[in-house]
Amino acid sequence: MPEFKYKAKSRAGKDVVGLMTANTRKEALERLAAQKLFPISVEDAHKNDVNVDKWFRKKPPTAAVADFLTQLGELLENGVPVLTAFQALSKQTPNAALREVVQDIGDQVADGQSLDAAFASHNKVFDDLTLSVIRAGNEGAFLEAALKRTAKFIEDQEEIKSRIKGAMIYPSVLATVGVIVVSVLLIAFVPKFEPMFESVVDSGKSLPIATVWLLAFRDFCGKYGLYLLGGLIAFVVWAKIQASTKSGRRFLDKWKLRIPVIGPVAQGSAVSKLCRVLGTLLQNGVPILRALEISARSTGNALLQASVEKAVDAVSAGEPLSKPLQESGLIPPQAMTMISIAEESNTLEKVLLNLSDSLERQLSKKIDIMVRLLEPMMLLMLAGAVFYIILALLLPVFQMTDAA
């Protein structure tokens, strides 16, 4: 049972300090009142204890968070009291990190904290969208529906991420295999042909140009390979550092959109996410300015984020949302037409969600096309590299055979 350290004053005005065992902070306060003590502070006695497990505990997986929100919404929808729902979920949640979060939120609510404030104390587990929807649902008395809608949104976004990651597995495997095969050929096979190459040179003949290039490339990799690897690592680190800055993100996202095949996929993903997040927030009663602020940070693209941030200023000044979005040039014309009409007919949230569904279907097709193009390209590059190495090794043999 938890222990609470308290500081209180007696009726005589004396300070009283001590420890008390109670299920919740609220129960500890009630016990102090029963002892005719006036509490000044009541805190968890082990709040500042060092918990080594937390250092190594990972953030709860997104799927587990979505399941928790769905179950909480269903329990509340079926008339289960809030505290009872949290007590049940704290025992049923399989993930240890999330179980601790659920238990803490339940304890805070039991102590009299509002539900949205209790969730907000764990902003590393629940993102801005989830917290805003819970706050709006709690204030608007539609918390159960808000929780289930948010869970559905999280699941849909996680599915898209999984599809993109899954689609890139095979090309990544091909690239890795290609590097290994070429490295083995250069390290293990090329040296075995060097005595023959030396005999060709000693006989006064010149090596074929393909063989010369291959040997030069092998020597270059042998001398500067580690420097190249170090430079590549340094570039990756530099890119990550730049991606953490506003100007760096804008630069990287700008060039990412210009990459053939990959660019349209990145653009479609950002626009689809914007429509989904903004539509979900508006559907759940979040004010449009707050919804736009959250949506801007959720797009995953700095250029689109800047356009949405401009839209916040425009909407607050009484201008339509569609104007700054159209100026960005990132949203397809057909989608912009639908958004403009939706603003006039006051059906923006519905149109945004429908538009997101349509964009996600298009995104799925683009991902399939990207994978279909990448796979043969990777195979051709691998086959071409192996063919070139073998040809460069065999040309001197053919040259010696013809001379004989």
Side-chain angles (χ1 to χ4, degrees), residues 94-284:
N95 184 270
L98 183 58
R99 185 167 57 247
E100 186 176 311
V101 170
V102 173
Q103 186 174 357
D104 182 68
I105 293 174
D107 291 342
Q108 290 188 50
V109 174
D111 290 342
Q113 185 73 275
S114 64
L115 185 63
D116 55 302
F119 269 92
S121 65
H122 296 280
N123 55 4
K124 292 184 178 180
V125 177
F126 306 102
D127 57 16
D128 287 344
L129 180 141
T130 303
L131 296 175
S132 296
V133 168
I134 290 173
R135 185 178 298 110
N138 196 34
E139 294 173 354
F142 53 89
L143 180 61
E144 302 86 354
L147 287 169
K148 295 174 75 172
R149 287 172 187 166
T150 305
K152 179 67 168 57
F153 168 81
I154 294 173
E155 290 171 352
D156 291 342
Q157 293 301 306
E158 194 64 19
E159 184 179 353
I160 293 174
K161 289 181 183 178
S162 299
R163 288 201 61 194
I164 294 175
K165 289 180 181 178
M168 295 305 297
I169 288 177
Y170 186 60
S172 300
V173 170
L174 284 177
T176 304
V177 171
V179 172
I180 293 174
V181 169
V182 171
S183 299
V184 169
L185 289 174
L186 290 176
I187 295 172
F189 285 89
V190 173
K192 293 182 179 181
F193 286 80
E194 284 188 340
M196 181 187 65
F197 297 156
E198 292 176 358
S199 63
V200 171
V201 174
D202 292 340
S203 63
K205 296 180 180 179
S206 60
L207 292 172
I209 189 64
T211 307
V212 174
W213 286 353
L214 175 64
L215 294 176
F217 178 72
R218 197 278 309 268
D219 293 339
F220 178 81
C221 291
K223 291 180 180 178
Y224 306 105
L226 292 178
Y227 298 104
L228 288 174
L229 181 61
L232 179 61
I233 294 173
F235 175 77
V236 172
V237 172
W238 173 83
K240 286 187 175 182
I241 294 174
Q242 290 298 312
S244 63
T245 64
K246 192 171 183 179
S247 59
R249 280 185 56 211
R250 287 179 63 87
F251 176 81
L252 293 174
D253 287 340
K254 180 180 178 180
W255 284 99
K256 183 168 64 176
L257 294 177
R258 296 183 178 181
I259 301 175
V261 182
I262 296 176
V265 172
Q267 181 179 353
S269 176
V271 175
S272 172
K273 190 178 292 185
L274 169 65
C275 294
R276 177 69 67 184
V277 173
L278 184 56
T280 301
L281 289 168
L282 294 176
Q283 186 185 41
N284 286 282

Side-chain angles (χ1 to χ4, degrees), residues 1-4 20-25 27-29 31:
M1 188 176 291
E3 282 188 327
F4 296 89
M20 178 179 291
T21 302
N23 289 313
T24 64
R25 183 173 178 273
E27 182 180 332
L29 290 170
R31 288 189 184 182

